[in-house]
Amino acid sequence: MIILKVNGREHVLDVPDHKTLLEVLRGDLELTGVKEGCDRGECGACTVLIDGKPYRSCMMLAAEAQGKEIVTIEGLAKNGTLHPVQESFVNNQGVQCGFCTPGMVLTASAFLEENPKPTRDEAAKAISGNICRCTGYTKIIDSIMDASQKVNGGVSR
Amino acid sequence: MRLRSFTTFQPKTLQEALFLRHKYKRNAVLKAGGTSLIPEMRLGLKKPDYVILLDLVEEIRVIEEKDDGLHIGAMASLQQIKKAKLNVHQSAAVANLYGPLIEAIDQVSAPSMHYQSTIGGNLCQDTRCIYYDQSEFWREIKGLCFKQGGDRCHAVPAAKSCHSVYQGDLAPALICMDAEVSVSSPKKTQIVKIADLFSGNGITPLRLPANSLITEIIIPPLGTKKIAYEKLSDRGALDYPVAGVAAFVKMRDGFVEEHGFVATSIGPAPLVVTAPLLNARRFDEDFISQAAGAVFKKARPVANTSAAPAYRRQMVKTLAEKALRRLLP
């Protein structure tokens, strides 16, 4: 038995030892916003926040996420209001096919917590571990820069 | 691809982890960040019955600055090391150590992976090969190679041993820094130079007893030594090196007193190249080209990565020159 706290709710789960966090989130908890891309840590689509930091859920066993705050894309909006990064992705066409978007948004939101006023280069480096096969990086970086302005009250470098 | 079934243990203390390590030996694998282990398990390259998860062993996650240098717990994440640089340091001699280490860390994978990846895990990563890091189906058709318990090497058909390649980005800089690791087993703890940790044998690249684990990395003060790491890879992020070279130089009275290189992604172990200087040498372009030539001479990559051996060998020289040039006073 393991207990996982996902998006603020505790779940008691009976899962085998070898199940990854990704499999439990998608399969057992039906949080399909967590995407399974490469399954080997190369694409970032399965990124979730663990205690506010980006982690690849495909390379973590579910047991390792016990006692931590897990946030998936489903839990980022609060009370029906989008997170500033989500809003910026919508407003700046940061989404094409959408498959990389949950990982991009979560990675970007954690990045802006650490570095609220990034340069474009810093933003590009921050998401260099997330692959967008539509290659829509320019709009994704636009979205992150726009979000950084929003969280800083319109001030940006 | 699903993972094969196994049983996990989640020890909370080092003692408990060592007990499990001792009990299950080669039937168990240690999981640190898992960023290379999990893909290897998915490919069936490792089929452990037991997986010992080290994430709760807090005592091997600590970063401490001591008189004899920087002590980094093996389970410290790369991000944790980057953050520790910003702390108030015990002494300037220890504060100096972060620069070259973080330069190498910045070359590992991508920043978003640094939360998960650990320094101990990075150091202990297995060797790789284009004929080895493949699906089980693919490997079976090709025929088992030495590293899989077979009788041949696909990369070098005439070879009598495994030619897989060590591709870690941190070992070169750490070896240049004269770093050591503390290796614990249930009965004793040993300090081993990182340069001596690698066996040069592609099948078992690390000289680590089956009941032991690395608990910390110890980096002594650099003194006047300067270090730079240069990496070439196909992609700008999320990639292993095509070749990587760390260079170090020690100057005295304006002349080169000591220098050397450690290359990665060339053979089953990091390649250490030092050439004692007979005379004091001026640190100039002539010296750089001659010194880098020594790495070119010793580097013998084989056809086991996406890049051709001749290209990698040439690039080792170029990277050695680039790294040295950055150290020019």
Side-chain angles (χ1 to χ4, degrees), chain B residues 12 23 33 170 190 198:
Chain B
K12 290 194 175 61
K23 184 169 177 190
L170 300 186
Q190 260 182 306
F198 298 95

Side-chain angles (χ1 to χ4, degrees), chain A residues 17-18 20 23 36 39-42 53-56 58-59 61 63-64 107 114 125 128-131, chain B residues 1-8 10 31 35 38 42 53 55 79 83 110-113 115-116 237-238:
Chain A
D17 284 10
H18 63 272
T20 60
E23 288 162 357
E36 179 172 358
D39 225 3
R40 49 182 300 163
E42 283 180 18
K53 309 292 178 208
Y55 276 73
R56 272 147 218 247
C58 75
M59 298 200 292
L61 298 176
E64 290 174 297
T107 305
E114 296 232 341
K125 199 170 176 212
S128 63
N130 294 66
I131 290 176
Chain B
M1 214 184 297
R2 299 288 164 256
L3 290 168
R4 282 174 183 74
S5 121
F6 51 76
T7 303
T8 55
Q10 216 165 4
K31 181 176 185 284
T35 54
I38 296 286
R42 285 218 166 89
L53 308 173
D55 61 319
Q79 180 69 17
K83 282 267 167 192
S112 56
M113 291 274 274
Y115 296 91
Q116 218 156 343
L238 289 172

Side-chain angles (χ1 to χ4, degrees), chain A residues 6-108:
Chain A
V6 186
N7 300 330
R9 270 189 60 192
E10 283 200 346
H11 302 267
V12 181
L13 297 151
D14 185 11
V15 295
D17 284 10
H18 63 272
K19 256 201 177 178
T20 60
L21 180 60
L22 170 70
E23 288 162 357
V24 171
L25 292 174
R26 281 184 64 86
D28 298 73
L29 300 178
E30 297 182 3
L31 295 167
T32 50
V34 192
K35 300 294 180 223
E36 179 172 358
C38 66
D39 225 3
R40 49 182 300 163
E42 283 180 18
C43 76
C46 67
T47 303
V48 298
L49 299 183
I50 305 276
D51 290 340
K53 309 292 178 208
Y55 276 73
R56 272 147 218 247
S57 59
C58 75
M59 298 200 292
M60 239 181 129
L61 298 176
E64 290 174 297
Q66 288 188 92
K68 310 248 160 67
E69 295 274 347
I70 306 161
V71 173
T72 70
I73 195 70
E74 289 89 344
L76 200 59
K78 289 278 174 291
N79 306 320
T81 310
L82 292 182
H83 184 280
V85 174
Q86 288 176 305
E87 204 180 279
S88 293
F89 268 68
V90 172
N91 295 340
N92 293 278
Q93 290 82 46
V95 182
Q96 288 189 41
C97 85
F99 197 85
C100 73
T101 311
M104 286 283 185
V105 168
L106 290 168
T107 305

Side-chain angles (χ1 to χ4, degrees), chain B residues 83-287:
Chain B
K83 282 267 167 192
K85 188 194 177 188
L86 309 173
N87 295 344
V88 179
H89 303 296
Q90 191 209 334
S91 69
V94 175
N96 273 347
L97 298 171
Y98 288 99
L101 178 60
I102 291 174
E103 184 187 82
I105 288 177
D106 279 336
Q107 299 291 333
V108 176
S109 192
S112 56
M113 291 274 274
H114 293 171
Y115 296 91
Q116 218 156 343
S117 315
T118 63
I119 186 167
N122 185 288
L123 212 49
C124 294
Q125 64 183 273
D126 202 354
T127 51
R128 302 167 53 80
C129 175
I130 40 168
Y131 298 100
Y132 176 71
D133 290 86
Q134 300 288 352
S135 70
E136 206 151 26
F137 177 66
W138 192 101
R139 284 180 284 127
E140 269 170 19
I141 290 173
K142 189 87 184 159
L144 296 185
C145 71
F146 288 121
K147 200 165 165 69
Q148 302 161 61
D151 56 0
R152 66 195 86 171
C153 173
H154 299 304
V156 186
K160 298 216 160 32
S161 62
C162 171
H163 278 271
S164 58
V165 63
Y166 180 79
Q167 296 191 291
D169 277 308
L170 300 186
L174 285 168
I175 293 172
C176 282
M177 295 168 98
D178 275 327
E180 300 168 323
V181 286
S182 177
V183 180
S184 286
S185 52
K187 289 217 174 104
K188 59 177 180 185
T189 296
Q190 260 182 306
I191 304 292
V192 179
K193 282 221 173 281
I194 293 182
D196 298 332
L197 188 63
F198 298 95
S199 66
N201 174 347
I203 300 171
T204 48
L206 293 173
R207 280 200 189 102
L208 279 179
N211 64 351
S212 67
L213 66 91
I214 288 182
T215 55
E216 66 175 1
I217 287 88
I218 307 153
I219 313 176
L222 287 177
T224 55
K225 202 188 245 191
K226 287 208 162 70
I227 293 163
Y229 177 60
E230 285 285 335
K231 170 181 177 173
L232 175 73
S233 55
D234 291 335
R235 298 186 288 193
L238 289 172
D239 213 351
Y240 288 94
V242 162
V245 178
F248 77 86
V249 168
K250 222 173 175 175
M251 300 288 287
R252 187 185 221 165
D253 306 328
F255 290 94
V256 180
E257 188 189 18
E258 208 185 309
H259 76 290
F261 303 93
V262 182
T264 187
S265 208
I266 292 302
L271 175 70
V272 182
V273 181
T274 47
L277 293 172
L278 299 176
N279 305 305
R281 287 292 304 264
R282 226 177 269 285
F283 194 3
D284 52 16
E285 278 299 324
D286 252 9
F287 171 76

